[in-house]
Amino acid sequence: MAHTTGLQGRLTGCGCHGAPVHCKPFTGNKINTRPSRATNRIDTQTQCAAVSNVKLPATHKEASQRALDQLRASSSIVNRYAMEKKSSIIAIGLTIHNTPVEIREKLAIPEAEWPRAIEELCSFPHIEEAAVLSTCNRMELYVVAVSWHRGVREIEEWMSHSSGLSLDELRPHMFLLRDRDATGHLLKVAGGLDSLVMGEGQILAQVKQVYKVGQNALGFGRHLNGLFKQAITAGKRVRAETSISSGAVSVSSAAAELAQLKLPSHNFSDARVCIIGAGKMSRLLVKHLASKGCKEVVILNRSLPRAEALAEEFPEVHFDIRLMEQLMPSVQQCDTIFAASGSESILLHAADIANMPAAAEAVGGMRRFFDISVPRNIASDMNTLGGAAHVFNVDDLKEVVSANKEARQQAASEAEVLLKDEQLAFESWRDSLATVPTIKALRGKAESIRSSELEKAFGKLGGGLTKKQMRAVEDLSRNIVNKLLHGPMTALRCDGNDAAAVGETLANMEALERMFELSRLELAASAALRK
């Protein structure tokens, strides 16, 4: 498994000791991996027997017994991950940088299926929130997990089941990032710094779509909501305040540029162009083809209205609109074919092309297919036809991208500075959330003491008070508690955008937890929630 900053070495197991994990396929039901209480219990009898011959002063014996009683009580509520106050943000997935399209397409998730994927991931016992970013160049999962190691194991299990690939097949290509590295990665993705074509704008639109879909998904919670909002802000700033998008192209633009490079004359006037599909990718294709001098295009689509709407956007281009039933005749008439449909199956095989007449001499007698669909629409066996046909997929776009990378490096350095500011803003906001459990615990403890003492007072007074007098005494006790808590509560609230204020607030939180012994209450509450 590949790693970036913050994680060293190869993760061959669940992330803890490097031992391989053998996962059973996920069936949609929660898998209980919580440790048994019995495994956490300390055998005090054995320990006592071992020291039974040692004579200690009475005070020491009493202190030791109290310590053992406390340990016995705490051992029933503390487990391996109860001490993790803050959940981990995990980013895990595959990208075009280190994963061939043959594997990426098996993990690709259509946008309509994102909510289902989120629901399935959040059904695991250690995953609280989830988000899916699936494009033609990457499939990434962002997860908030209550336990880092168990969360990673559950995500891997889901990925293996979803793709039908074993973990041994997936791990060499996967990246895994945690917390600061994970959030930094998403900001870079939104800013276009991790794209095949640095600075391209399509990825920011895709990150926005993840956020939009997440608003109607139960597993897209507070932390990921804040993270993706920050990523969108970061992406906008990078493009507005740097020149990284100058000359940058999308996958569609890179495909058009590659097609032009492969034509013998480098001129689209010699080519007969066909585009399969009439969606967003096709729209971008037409835009970039038109800018390179392409005047005529055959459009194939399952329905006419969408293709006709596309044609209306580009009056300078002559469109020949056809239905998918005319796929084979259209391919035979054309020599430069782009596949950008939403089909999840192969549309063209070598056998479909083998008996077609050769392409025109103006294009070198070869039919060139540019498949930017994921999953692929054009079979790779097309390349077995020699000089009669050749297919290029999204991985081949690297040839176009390499020519422009150097010019964008300076802009990327400027963007890194902006992204660090945005990451600090997100971390400050997330840290500010850490005080919420302390606020609840402090108010809960104060209310418990108030209620208990009030009940004792009423017991001592007997039935000598009227209902009005009892209500007045209760209001008095509540007002006293609220006034006493006003100062501590104010010290626990801050602006999440001010890093210095957040640091001071966290210091106040730790002090209050020590003074009021709130950590014990938090552990008990965490254990109760996990039962």
Side-chain angles (χ1 to χ4, degrees), residues 266-331:
H266 307 305
N267 195 328
F268 279 108
S269 61
D270 295 331
R272 290 175 292 180
V273 177
C274 174
I275 299 177
I276 303 172
K280 294 178 183 178
M281 298 285 278
S282 298
R283 179 186 170 279
L284 290 171
L285 263 175
V286 174
K287 174 184 175 182
H288 295 295
L289 287 170
S291 70
K292 296 179 184 300
C294 183
K295 302 296 183 184
E296 296 186 8
V297 175
V298 174
I299 288 284
L300 288 162
N301 199 50
R302 286 176 295 181
S303 61
L304 291 176
R306 194 168 189 178
E308 291 169 346
L310 174 62
E312 290 176 3
E313 290 189 54
F314 302 94
E316 71 277 16
V317 178
H318 177 265
F319 288 91
D320 181 358
I321 300 174
R322 305 177 185 180
L323 292 174
M324 286 298 292
E325 287 80 359
Q326 296 175 278
L327 174 62
M328 294 306 169
S330 300
V331 170

Coordinates of all heavy atoms in Angstrom, one line a residue, residues 266-331:
H266 N -2.2 16.9 -37.6 CA -2.5 17.6 -36.3 C -3.6 18.6 -36.6 O -3.7 19.7 -36.0 CB -1.3 18.4 -35.8 CG -0.1 17.5 -35.6 ND1 -0.1 16.4 -34.8 CD2 1.2 17.6 -36.1 CE1 1.1 15.8 -34.8 NE2 1.9 16.6 -35.6
N267 N -4.5 18.2 -37.5 CA -5.6 19.1 -37.9 C -6.9 18.4 -38.0 O -7.0 17.3 -38.6 CB -5.3 19.7 -39.3 CG -6.2 20.9 -39.6 OD1 -7.3 21.0 -39.2 ND2 -5.7 21.8 -40.4
F268 N -7.9 18.8 -37.2 CA -9.2 18.1 -37.1 C -10.0 18.2 -38.4 O -11.0 17.5 -38.6 CB -10.0 18.7 -36.0 CG -9.6 18.0 -34.6 CD1 -9.0 18.8 -33.7 CD2 -9.9 16.7 -34.3 CE1 -8.6 18.2 -32.5 CE2 -9.6 16.1 -33.1 CZ -8.9 16.9 -32.2
S269 N -9.6 19.1 -39.3 CA -10.3 19.2 -40.6 C -10.2 17.9 -41.4 O -11.0 17.7 -42.3 CB -9.9 20.4 -41.4 OG -8.5 20.3 -41.7
D270 N -9.1 17.2 -41.1 CA -8.9 15.9 -41.9 C -9.6 14.7 -41.2 O -9.6 13.6 -41.8 CB -7.4 15.6 -41.9 CG -6.6 16.6 -42.7 OD1 -7.2 17.2 -43.6 OD2 -5.4 16.8 -42.4
A271 N -10.1 14.9 -40.0 CA -10.7 13.8 -39.3 C -12.3 13.8 -39.3 O -12.9 14.9 -39.5 CB -10.3 13.9 -37.8
R272 N -12.8 12.7 -39.2 CA -14.3 12.5 -39.0 C -14.5 12.1 -37.6 O -14.2 11.0 -37.2 CB -14.8 11.5 -40.0 CG -14.8 12.0 -41.5 CD -15.2 11.0 -42.4 NE -14.3 9.8 -42.5 CZ -14.5 8.8 -43.3 NH1 -15.5 8.7 -44.0 NH2 -13.6 7.8 -43.3
V273 N -15.1 13.0 -36.8 CA -15.1 12.9 -35.3 C -16.5 12.4 -34.9 O -17.5 12.8 -35.3 CB -14.8 14.2 -34.6 CG1 -15.0 14.1 -33.1 CG2 -13.4 14.7 -35.0
C274 N -16.5 11.4 -34.0 CA -17.7 10.9 -33.4 C -17.5 10.9 -31.8 O -16.5 10.5 -31.3 CB -17.9 9.4 -33.9 SG -19.3 8.6 -33.1
I275 N -18.6 11.3 -31.1 CA -18.6 11.3 -29.7 C -19.7 10.4 -29.2 O -20.9 10.6 -29.6 CB -18.7 12.7 -29.1 CG1 -17.6 13.6 -29.5 CG2 -18.8 12.6 -27.6 CD1 -17.7 15.0 -29.1
I276 N -19.4 9.4 -28.4 CA -20.4 8.5 -27.8 C -20.8 9.1 -26.4 O -20.0 9.1 -25.5 CB -19.9 7.1 -27.6 CG1 -19.4 6.6 -29.0 CG2 -21.0 6.2 -27.1 CD1 -18.7 5.2 -28.9
G277 N -22.0 9.5 -26.3 CA -22.5 10.2 -25.1 C -22.8 11.6 -25.3 O -22.2 12.3 -26.1
A278 N -23.7 12.2 -24.4 CA -24.0 13.6 -24.6 C -24.1 14.3 -23.2 O -24.8 15.2 -23.0 CB -25.3 13.8 -25.3
G279 N -23.3 13.7 -22.2 CA -23.3 14.3 -20.9 C -22.3 15.4 -20.7 O -21.9 16.1 -21.6
K280 N -21.9 15.6 -19.4 CA -21.0 16.7 -19.1 C -19.6 16.5 -19.8 O -19.0 17.5 -20.3 CB -20.8 16.7 -17.5 CG -22.0 17.1 -16.8 CD -21.8 17.1 -15.3 CE -23.0 17.4 -14.5 NZ -22.8 17.3 -13.0
M281 N -19.1 15.3 -19.7 CA -17.8 15.1 -20.4 C -17.8 15.4 -21.9 O -16.9 15.9 -22.4 CB -17.3 13.6 -20.1 CG -17.1 13.3 -18.7 SD -15.6 14.0 -18.0 CE -14.4 12.8 -18.5
S282 N -18.9 15.0 -22.5 CA -19.1 15.2 -23.9 C -19.2 16.7 -24.2 O -18.6 17.2 -25.2 CB -20.3 14.5 -24.5 OG -20.2 13.1 -24.3
R283 N -19.9 17.4 -23.3 CA -20.0 18.9 -23.5 C -18.6 19.5 -23.5 O -18.3 20.4 -24.3 CB -20.9 19.5 -22.4 CG -21.0 21.0 -22.5 CD -21.8 21.5 -21.3 NE -21.7 22.9 -21.2 CZ -20.7 23.6 -20.7 NH1 -19.6 23.0 -20.3 NH2 -20.7 24.9 -20.7
L284 N -17.8 19.1 -22.5 CA -16.4 19.7 -22.4 C -15.6 19.2 -23.6 O -14.8 20.0 -24.1 CB -15.8 19.2 -21.1 CG -16.3 19.8 -19.8 CD1 -15.7 19.0 -18.6 CD2 -16.0 21.2 -19.7
L285 N -15.8 18.0 -24.1 CA -15.1 17.6 -25.3 C -15.4 18.5 -26.5 O -14.5 18.9 -27.2 CB -15.5 16.1 -25.6 CG -14.6 15.0 -25.1 CD1 -15.2 13.7 -25.4 CD2 -13.2 15.1 -25.8
V286 N -16.7 18.7 -26.7 CA -17.1 19.6 -27.8 C -16.5 21.0 -27.7 O -16.0 21.5 -28.7 CB -18.6 19.7 -27.9 CG1 -19.0 20.7 -29.0 CG2 -19.2 18.3 -28.2
K287 N -16.5 21.5 -26.5 CA -15.9 22.8 -26.2 C -14.5 22.9 -26.7 O -14.0 23.8 -27.4 CB -16.1 23.2 -24.7 CG -15.4 24.5 -24.3 CD -15.5 24.7 -22.8 CE -14.7 25.9 -22.4 NZ -14.8 26.1 -20.9
H288 N -13.7 21.9 -26.3 CA -12.3 21.9 -26.6 C -12.0 21.5 -28.0 O -11.0 22.0 -28.6 CB -11.5 21.0 -25.6 CG -11.6 21.5 -24.1 ND1 -11.0 22.7 -23.8 CD2 -12.2 21.0 -23.0 CE1 -11.2 22.9 -22.5 NE2 -11.9 21.9 -22.0
L289 N -12.8 20.6 -28.6 CA -12.6 20.3 -30.0 C -12.9 21.5 -30.9 O -12.2 21.8 -31.8 CB -13.5 19.1 -30.3 CG -13.1 17.7 -29.8 CD1 -14.3 16.7 -30.0 CD2 -11.9 17.2 -30.5
A290 N -13.9 22.2 -30.5 CA -14.3 23.4 -31.3 C -13.2 24.4 -31.2 O -12.8 25.1 -32.2 CB -15.6 24.0 -30.8
S291 N -12.5 24.6 -30.0 CA -11.4 25.6 -29.9 C -10.2 25.2 -30.7 O -9.4 26.0 -31.0 CB -11.1 25.7 -28.4 OG -10.4 24.5 -27.9
K292 N -10.1 23.9 -31.1 CA -9.0 23.4 -31.9 C -9.3 23.3 -33.4 O -8.6 22.6 -34.1 CB -8.5 22.0 -31.3 CG -8.0 22.1 -29.9 CD -7.6 20.8 -29.4 CE -7.1 20.9 -27.9 NZ -6.0 21.8 -27.7
G293 N -10.5 23.8 -33.8 CA -10.8 23.9 -35.2 C -11.7 22.8 -35.7 O -12.0 22.7 -36.9
C294 N -12.3 21.9 -34.8 CA -13.2 20.9 -35.2 C -14.6 21.5 -35.5 O -15.2 22.2 -34.7 CB -13.3 19.8 -34.1 SG -14.4 18.4 -34.6
K295 N -15.1 21.3 -36.8 CA -16.3 21.9 -37.2 C -17.5 21.0 -37.3 O -18.6 21.4 -37.4 CB -16.1 22.6 -38.5 CG -15.0 23.7 -38.5 CD -15.3 24.8 -37.6 CE -14.2 25.9 -37.7 NZ -14.5 27.0 -36.7
E296 N -17.2 19.7 -37.4 CA -18.3 18.7 -37.6 C -18.1 17.5 -36.6 O -17.0 17.0 -36.5 CB -18.3 18.2 -39.0 CG -18.6 19.2 -40.1 CD -18.7 18.6 -41.5 OE1 -18.7 17.4 -41.6 OE2 -18.8 19.4 -42.4
V297 N -19.2 17.1 -36.0 CA -19.2 16.1 -35.0 C -20.4 15.2 -35.1 O -21.6 15.7 -35.2 CB -19.1 16.7 -33.5 CG1 -19.2 15.5 -32.5 CG2 -17.8 17.5 -33.3
V298 N -20.2 13.9 -35.1 CA -21.4 13.0 -34.9 C -21.6 12.7 -33.4 O -20.6 12.3 -32.7 CB -21.1 11.6 -35.7 CG1 -22.2 10.6 -35.4 CG2 -20.9 11.9 -37.2
I299 N -22.8 12.9 -33.0 CA -23.1 12.6 -31.5 C -24.0 11.4 -31.4 O -25.1 11.4 -32.1 CB -23.8 13.8 -30.9 CG1 -22.8 15.0 -30.7 CG2 -24.4 13.5 -29.5 CD1 -21.8 14.8 -29.5
L300 N -23.6 10.4 -30.6 CA -24.5 9.3 -30.4 C -25.0 9.3 -28.9 O -24.2 9.5 -28.0 CB -23.7 8.0 -30.6 CG -23.3 7.6 -32.1 CD1 -22.2 6.6 -32.1 CD2 -24.6 7.1 -32.8
N301 N -26.3 9.1 -28.7 CA -26.8 9.1 -27.4 C -28.0 8.2 -27.3 O -28.6 7.9 -28.3 CB -27.1 10.5 -26.9 CG -27.2 10.7 -25.4 OD1 -26.4 10.2 -24.7 ND2 -28.3 11.2 -24.9
R302 N -28.4 7.8 -26.1 CA -29.6 7.0 -25.9 C -30.9 7.7 -26.2 O -31.9 7.1 -26.6 CB -29.6 6.4 -24.5 CG -28.6 5.3 -24.3 CD -28.6 4.8 -22.9 NE -28.1 5.8 -22.0 CZ -28.0 5.7 -20.6 NH1 -28.3 4.5 -20.1 NH2 -27.6 6.7 -19.9
S303 N -30.9 9.0 -26.0 CA -32.1 9.8 -26.3 C -31.7 11.1 -27.0 O -30.6 11.6 -26.9 CB -32.8 10.2 -25.0 OG -31.9 11.0 -24.1
L304 N -32.7 11.6 -27.8 CA -32.4 12.8 -28.6 C -32.4 14.1 -27.9 O -31.6 15.0 -28.2 CB -33.4 12.8 -29.8 CG -33.3 11.8 -30.8 CD1 -34.5 11.9 -31.8 CD2 -32.0 11.8 -31.6
P305 N -33.3 14.3 -26.9 CA -33.4 15.7 -26.2 C -32.0 16.1 -25.7 O -31.7 17.3 -25.8 CB -34.4 15.5 -25.1 CG -35.3 14.4 -25.7 CD -34.4 13.4 -26.4
R306 N -31.3 15.3 -25.0 CA -30.1 15.7 -24.4 C -29.0 16.0 -25.4 O -28.3 17.0 -25.3 CB -29.5 14.6 -23.5 CG -28.4 15.0 -22.5 CD -28.2 14.0 -21.5 NE -27.3 14.5 -20.4 CZ -26.9 13.8 -19.4 NH1 -27.4 12.5 -19.2 NH2 -26.1 14.3 -18.5
A307 N -29.0 15.3 -26.5 CA -28.0 15.5 -27.6 C -28.4 16.8 -28.3 O -27.5 17.6 -28.7 CB -28.0 14.4 -28.5
E308 N -29.7 17.1 -28.4 CA -30.1 18.3 -29.1 C -29.8 19.5 -28.2 O -29.4 20.6 -28.8 CB -31.6 18.2 -29.4 CG -32.0 17.2 -30.5 CD -33.5 16.9 -30.6 OE1 -34.2 17.3 -29.6 OE2 -33.9 16.3 -31.6
A309 N -29.9 19.4 -26.9 CA -29.6 20.5 -26.0 C -28.1 20.8 -26.1 O -27.7 21.9 -26.0 CB -30.0 20.1 -24.6
L310 N -27.3 19.7 -26.2 CA -25.8 19.9 -26.4 C -25.5 20.7 -27.7 O -24.7 21.6 -27.7 CB -25.1 18.6 -26.4 CG -23.6 18.5 -26.7 CD1 -22.9 19.3 -25.6 CD2 -23.1 17.1 -26.7
A311 N -26.2 20.3 -28.7 CA -26.0 21.0 -30.0 C -26.3 22.4 -30.0 O -25.7 23.3 -30.6 CB -26.8 20.2 -31.1
E312 N -27.3 22.8 -29.2 CA -27.8 24.2 -29.1 C -26.7 25.1 -28.5 O -26.7 26.3 -28.7 CB -29.1 24.3 -28.4 CG -30.3 23.7 -29.1 CD -31.5 23.7 -28.3 OE1 -31.5 24.3 -27.2 OE2 -32.6 23.3 -28.8
E313 N -25.9 24.5 -27.6 CA -24.9 25.3 -26.9 C -23.7 25.7 -27.8 O -23.0 26.6 -27.5 CB -24.3 24.4 -25.7 CG -25.3 24.3 -24.6 CD -24.6 23.6 -23.4 OE1 -23.5 24.2 -22.9 OE2 -25.1 22.6 -22.9
F314 N -23.5 24.9 -29.0 CA -22.4 25.2 -29.8 C -22.9 25.4 -31.3 O -22.7 24.5 -32.1 CB -21.4 24.0 -29.7 CG -20.9 23.8 -28.4 CD1 -21.5 22.8 -27.5 CD2 -19.8 24.5 -27.9 CE1 -21.0 22.6 -26.3 CE2 -19.3 24.3 -26.6 CZ -19.9 23.4 -25.8
P315 N -23.5 26.5 -31.6 CA -24.0 26.8 -32.9 C -22.9 26.8 -34.0 O -23.2 26.6 -35.2 CB -24.7 28.2 -32.8 CG -24.0 28.8 -31.6 CD -23.7 27.7 -30.7
E316 N -21.6 27.0 -33.6 CA -20.6 27.1 -34.6 C -20.1 25.7 -35.1 O -19.4 25.6 -36.0 CB -19.3 27.8 -34.0 CG -18.6 27.1 -32.9 CD -19.2 27.2 -31.5 OE1 -20.4 27.6 -31.4 OE2 -18.5 26.9 -30.5
V317 N -20.6 24.6 -34.4 CA -20.3 23.3 -34.8 C -21.5 22.6 -35.5 O -22.6 22.7 -35.0 CB -19.8 22.4 -33.6 CG1 -19.5 21.0 -34.0 CG2 -18.6 23.1 -32.9
H318 N -21.3 21.9 -36.5 CA -22.4 21.2 -37.2 C -22.5 19.8 -36.6 O -21.5 19.0 -36.6 CB -22.1 21.0 -38.7 CG -23.2 20.2 -39.4 ND1 -23.0 18.9 -39.6 CD2 -24.4 20.6 -39.9 CE1 -24.1 18.4 -40.2 NE2 -25.0 19.4 -40.4
F319 N -23.6 19.4 -36.0 CA -23.9 18.2 -35.3 C -24.7 17.2 -36.2 O -25.7 17.7 -36.8 CB -24.5 18.4 -34.0 CG -23.7 19.0 -32.9 CD1 -23.6 20.4 -32.8 CD2 -22.9 18.2 -32.1 CE1 -22.8 21.0 -31.9 CE2 -22.1 18.8 -31.1 CZ -22.0 20.2 -31.0
D320 N -24.3 16.0 -36.2 CA -25.1 14.9 -36.8 C -25.5 14.0 -35.6 O -24.8 13.2 -35.1 CB -24.3 14.1 -37.8 CG -25.1 13.0 -38.5 OD1 -26.3 12.8 -38.1 OD2 -24.5 12.3 -39.3
I321 N -26.8 14.2 -35.2 CA -27.3 13.5 -33.9 C -27.9 12.2 -34.3 O -28.8 12.1 -35.1 CB -28.3 14.4 -33.2 CG1 -27.6 15.7 -32.8 CG2 -28.8 13.7 -31.9 CD1 -28.5 16.8 -32.1
R322 N -27.4 11.1 -33.6 CA -27.9 9.8 -33.9 C -28.2 9.1 -32.6 O -27.6 9.4 -31.5 CB -26.9 9.0 -34.7 CG -26.5 9.7 -36.0 CD -25.5 8.9 -36.8 NE -25.0 9.5 -37.9 CZ -24.1 9.0 -38.8 NH1 -23.6 7.8 -38.5 NH2 -23.7 9.7 -39.8
L323 N -29.0 8.1 -32.6 CA -29.3 7.2 -31.4 C -28.3 6.1 -31.4 O -27.6 5.7 -32.3 CB -30.7 6.6 -31.5 CG -31.9 7.7 -31.4 CD1 -33.2 7.0 -31.6 CD2 -31.8 8.3 -30.0
M324 N -28.2 5.5 -30.2 CA -27.1 4.4 -30.0 C -27.3 3.2 -30.9 O -26.4 2.5 -31.1 CB -27.1 4.0 -28.5 CG -26.5 5.0 -27.5 SD -24.8 5.3 -27.9 CE -24.1 3.8 -27.4
E325 N -28.5 3.0 -31.4 CA -28.8 1.9 -32.3 C -27.9 2.0 -33.5 O -27.6 1.0 -34.2 CB -30.2 1.8 -32.7 CG -31.2 1.3 -31.6 CD -31.5 2.4 -30.6 OE1 -31.0 3.6 -30.8 OE2 -32.3 2.1 -29.7
Q326 N -27.4 3.2 -33.8 CA -26.6 3.4 -35.0 C -25.1 3.5 -34.7 O -24.3 4.0 -35.4 CB -27.0 4.8 -35.7 CG -28.4 4.8 -36.2 CD -28.8 6.1 -36.8 OE1 -29.2 7.0 -36.0 NE2 -28.7 6.3 -38.1
L327 N -24.7 2.8 -33.6 CA -23.3 2.9 -33.1 C -22.4 2.3 -34.2 O -21.4 3.0 -34.6 CB -23.2 2.1 -31.8 CG -21.8 1.9 -31.3 CD1 -21.1 3.3 -31.0 CD2 -21.8 1.0 -30.0
M328 N -22.6 1.1 -34.6 CA -21.7 0.4 -35.6 C -21.5 1.2 -36.9 O -20.4 1.5 -37.3 CB -22.1 -1.0 -35.8 CG -21.9 -1.9 -34.5 SD -20.3 -1.8 -33.8 CE -20.5 -2.6 -32.2
P329 N -22.7 1.6 -37.6 CA -22.5 2.3 -38.8 C -21.8 3.7 -38.6 O -21.0 4.1 -39.5 CB -24.0 2.6 -39.2 CG -24.7 1.5 -38.6 CD -24.1 1.2 -37.3
S330 N -22.0 4.3 -37.4 CA -21.4 5.6 -37.2 C -19.9 5.4 -37.0 O -19.1 6.2 -37.5 CB -22.0 6.2 -35.9 OG -23.4 6.4 -36.1
V331 N -19.5 4.4 -36.3 CA -18.0 4.1 -36.1 C -17.4 3.8 -37.4 O -16.2 4.2 -37.6 CB -17.8 2.9 -35.0 CG1 -16.4 2.5 -35.0 CG2 -18.3 3.3 -33.7

